[in-house]
Amino acid sequence: MGMRRFTFLPWDIYSWKTAFAWSGTSGLAMLALLLAEFLQLQDTNAPGMHASNATIWLIRAPLTFAAALLLLSRPYFPKLTLRDLRLWFLVYAGYFALSLAWSTAHLQTAGKAFELMIGTLIILQASRDQHALRRLEGLYRMTLLLFSLMALITVLGYFARIESFTAQRAGIFTQTTAESSFYSSNGLGYMAIAFILVAFAEFVLGGAKLSKALPQLSYALFIFLFAGSRTAFAILALGVVAVLLRRHKAALIAFLLCAAPAGVYLAPRLIKRLNRGQSQAGLDTLSGRTVMWTAAFRDWEKHPLLGYGGGVGGKHALSSVWGGSLSNMSHLHDGFLECLTGLGIFGFLLACAILVVATWRVARLWKKYPSFAGLYIWIISIWITNIMSNGVMSGMNDVVVIYLILLAHVDIVRRGVPGAVDAPR
């Protein structure tokens, strides 16, 4: 199907054109939904808010409804069985919406539930027929290209010395780091490392040529220079080990033998850079995460079965500790706890079961279909970001789109990879 010609370089016109041609109406709908997530302006009068009310009503809501209208223009969906992860994620999205009945912040839960349901239905629409695998590939590539474009804009804004694109925190390589309404400094690091792993996995396992992999690796490393995420190093290390282990155990052993001396030599310098500008208390609590996580768990114990409503459990936990209204609070930096506090034990167990089964199936399919390694490697980023950030259990976001594509892909490939087909309409 010509997948090897795709890149995530934002100036690659061929990849953009082919991605939209393959994804069809589903691609346009997902583009609108993703832009609704990205195009937000922070409310300077409410420090804990991620977006102002104006951008929510004037940008986010219209784009989300545009995605819904595009979805309804072709309301065709596949028949699902109990073994399909898409079915169980649809059940999860439905339970998320049902939590509106007991949510402590109805408007926020309603908005997040609507976005999550639209995203889920777009993926179902994309995976409806014999063109499903190609359509999902187009969706995946379009999503990567959009992520990459937003990352590039973030870095260019940083170079232009625009105040809103500069975070006053030391990075690994710079005194300040790049951020924007699209990506936090941490989020930019997560995405850059994901790009590195995608290019590396496609080169080592997927058969991509060095002439394709090298420009992508260089671009991703360039983006990472201006990010500020320590967790990204853990994602990178686990990803490289997973790829080499899948390639050949000897390759992994050779890599470890070469990396160990360099690690011993560079470790003190790297740790010094990673610790720069942060107190020992901050390091001991993982930048305050363990304090929030403890508070969230104690808050969940008060409503263990149903939680406080989809997408608002973390806000409720934080507000109960530090006071203030729910709208002024941030999130817990942990997708598992966001799900536990928001949807209670029932929603939490369902979400965890989907993730565990998806991981198990990816591990099995990876060996059989190495050409899809660039998509399968995302399972590592999904796990780590779910532990250290919002992840895939707190509502609709950019990583959830990749997760949904991966779930649908695994469902289809598990039944046998279709041959090359004509591009869908």
Side-chain angles (χ1 to χ4, degrees):
M1 293 194 298
M3 295 181 191
R4 295 179 185 177
R5 293 189 62 186
F6 278 112
T7 75
F8 53 69
L9 300 174
W11 53 84
D12 184 351
I13 303 301
Y14 167 83
S15 290
W16 281 103
K17 290 173 61 177
T18 308
F20 280 114
W22 286 12
S23 59
T25 304
S26 301
L28 294 175
M30 189 61 80
L31 176 65
L33 189 61
L34 281 168
L35 288 176
E37 297 291 324
F38 278 121
L39 300 182
Q40 303 178 54
L41 298 177
Q42 187 175 357
D43 188 349
T44 56
N45 295 321
M49 280 285 286
H50 291 286
S52 66
N53 288 329
T55 56
I56 289 175
W57 290 109
L58 297 179
I59 299 177
R60 187 166 187 167
L63 283 171
T64 303
F65 278 105
L69 291 175
L70 287 166
L71 172 68
L72 292 174
S73 70
R74 299 183 67 85
Y76 309 118
F77 305 103
K79 294 181 180 179
L80 302 176
T81 70
L82 291 177
R83 298 189 64 189
D84 285 319
L85 293 173
R86 288 167 294 172
L87 173 64
W88 293 107
F89 196 92
L90 183 62
V91 172
Y92 169 74
Y95 186 75
F96 195 107
L98 182 63
S99 71
L100 180 64
W102 61 84
S103 174
T104 54
H106 291 87
L107 189 60
Q108 293 182 39
T109 295
K112 289 177 180 291
F114 183 63
E115 292 172 350
L116 188 62
M117 186 61 71
I118 293 299
T120 305
L121 292 177
I122 290 172
I123 296 300
L124 290 177
Q125 180 196 62
S127 57
R128 66 181 181 268
D129 56 23
Q130 72 270 22
H131 302 300
L133 200 62
R134 173 167 287 205
R135 194 179 287 109
L136 287 171
E137 178 71 15
L139 265 175
Y140 172 57
R141 299 298 177 170
M142 181 275 293
T143 302
L144 284 188
L145 286 163
L146 183 62
F147 291 172
S148 181
L149 177 61
M150 294 303 180
L152 180 60
I153 293 173
T154 301
V155 172
L156 291 178
Y158 173 79
F159 273 116
R161 299 178 182 273
I162 300 174
E163 184 177 355
S164 59
F165 284 80
T166 304
Q168 299 302 320
R169 53 175 290 188
I172 309 302
F173 308 100
T174 56
Q175 297 294 330
T176 56
T177 49
E179 69 173 5
S180 65
S181 58
F182 318 137
Y183 290 117
S184 66
S185 181
N186 277 335
L188 186 65
Y190 294 149
M191 196 55 63
I193 288 299
F195 291 153
I196 291 172
L197 290 178
V198 167
F200 182 65
E202 289 183 344
F203 173 65
V204 175
L205 298 174
K209 295 181 179 180
L210 182 62
S211 58
K212 172 194 169 183
L214 191 57
Q216 293 186 99
L217 286 169
S218 300
Y219 168 77
L221 285 168
F222 170 76
I223 295 296
F224 185 69
L225 289 176
F226 309 100
S229 172
R230 292 187 292 265
T231 305
F233 281 95
I235 298 174
L236 178 62
L238 289 174
V240 170
V241 168
V243 170
L244 293 179
L245 183 61
R246 181 59 67 196
R247 180 68 178 89
H248 202 286
K249 292 182 180 179
L252 175 60
I253 294 172
F255 169 76
L256 294 176
L257 290 176
C258 294
V264 172
Y265 176 74
L266 295 175
R269 295 168 176 79
L270 182 59
I271 292 173
K272 185 177 180 180
R273 293 295 300 180
L274 291 174
N275 293 352
R276 188 171 184 177
Q278 189 169 27
S279 65
Q280 186 61 43
L283 293 172
D284 292 341
T285 61
L286 300 178
S287 300
R289 283 178 171 83
T290 57
V291 176
M292 291 188 290
W293 295 344
T294 301
F297 188 78
R298 290 175 178 172
D299 204 48
W300 165 74
E301 290 180 321
K302 300 175 184 177
H303 292 275
L305 297 181
L306 299 179
Y308 297 94
V312 300
K315 291 176 181 283
H316 188 281
L318 293 173
S319 65
S320 67
V321 175
W322 285 288
S325 65
L326 293 179
S327 61
N328 289 332
M329 294 294 111
S330 185
H331 56 81
L332 293 171
H333 293 278
D334 184 279
F336 291 107
L337 283 175
E338 287 284 352
C339 182
L340 185 64
T341 55
L343 299 178
I345 192 64
F346 297 125
F348 175 76
L349 291 176
L350 176 59
C352 287
I354 295 171
L355 181 56
V356 170
V357 173
T359 304
W360 178 69
R361 289 184 178 175
V362 164
R364 293 186 63 189
L365 292 174
W366 195 342
K367 185 176 182 180
K368 190 175 182 180
Y369 304 111
S371 60
F372 297 123
L375 174 61
Y376 295 159
I377 194 65
W378 275 94
I379 198 67
I380 293 174
S381 292
I382 288 169
W383 269 100
I384 301 299
T385 55
N386 208 60
I387 294 171
M388 298 298 291
S389 187
N390 266 0
V392 296
M393 297 184 183
S394 60
M396 195 65 195
N397 58 51
D398 50 2
V399 180
V400 172
V401 175
I402 299 291
Y403 184 45
L404 285 168
I405 292 171
L406 182 60
L407 294 183
H409 175 96
V410 167
D411 280 345
I412 294 165
V413 175
R414 181 179 58 84
R415 300 174 181 176
V417 180
V421 294
D422 296 331
R425 291 178 295 171

